[in-house]
Amino acid sequence: SPLAIEEVISQALGAAARAATILSKDTIELEPTISHVVTESCDGCAYCVDPCPFKAITLVEYEVNGELKKRVEINEAICKGCGTCMATCPKRAVYVWHFRPEQLVAEVKAALGVMT
């Protein structure tokens, strides 16, 4: 059923107060677990661009010694560290901080009780 006007006003005041706490800060700390690109390994295949659910990855073209090169860049303010890009990169050029492929393999092996 529809809410009474008093309840609607109360919910609106609560939402405004929550928004004011964020807007009143000079800076906001972001989650440190975000994706990063190993520029030496990235060949610009862009397999990671489309699967990113947050649209935090863009393909960038640049010139080095007269040669046109491509690579991806990650917008750290948008990235949430979900790891989709890491899973789709065939060159292992994208990784999520604190979740290197070697670490993930070790965790899976430990969970399954497999000895290395």
Side-chain angles (χ1 to χ4, degrees):
S1 66
L3 295 175
I5 191 70
E6 294 84 12
E7 292 177 60
V8 172
I9 292 171
S10 177
Q11 286 184 356
L13 289 172
R18 211 171 310 136
T21 59
I22 294 171
L23 296 174
S24 65
K25 296 181 181 181
D26 291 332
T27 59
I28 297 175
E29 288 189 31
L30 298 175
E31 179 69 31
T33 307
I34 56 175
S35 296
H36 291 275
V37 179
V38 179
T39 56
E40 299 82 31
S41 301
C42 181
D43 65 356
C45 68
Y47 287 152
C48 58
V49 175
D50 288 336
C52 179
F54 304 101
K55 304 299 179 210
I57 306 173
T58 54
L59 183 63
V60 181
E61 292 183 350
Y62 60 100
E63 192 173 324
V64 176
N65 298 329
E67 187 178 340
L68 190 64
K69 299 209 175 222
K70 295 180 182 180
R71 77 161 193 240
V72 295
E73 285 186 351
I74 297 178
N75 184 335
E76 295 179 358
I78 300 173
C79 180
K80 302 295 182 215
C82 68
T84 304
C85 53
M86 185 175 167
T88 59
C89 182
K91 302 285 185 180
R92 292 188 175 182
V94 182
Y95 68 95
V96 178
W97 276 126
H98 312 297
F99 294 100
R100 300 295 299 236
E102 304 83 37
Q103 293 170 317
L104 295 174
V105 169
E107 286 180 22
V108 169
K109 285 182 178 180
L112 296 175
V114 177
M115 301 301 284
T116 54

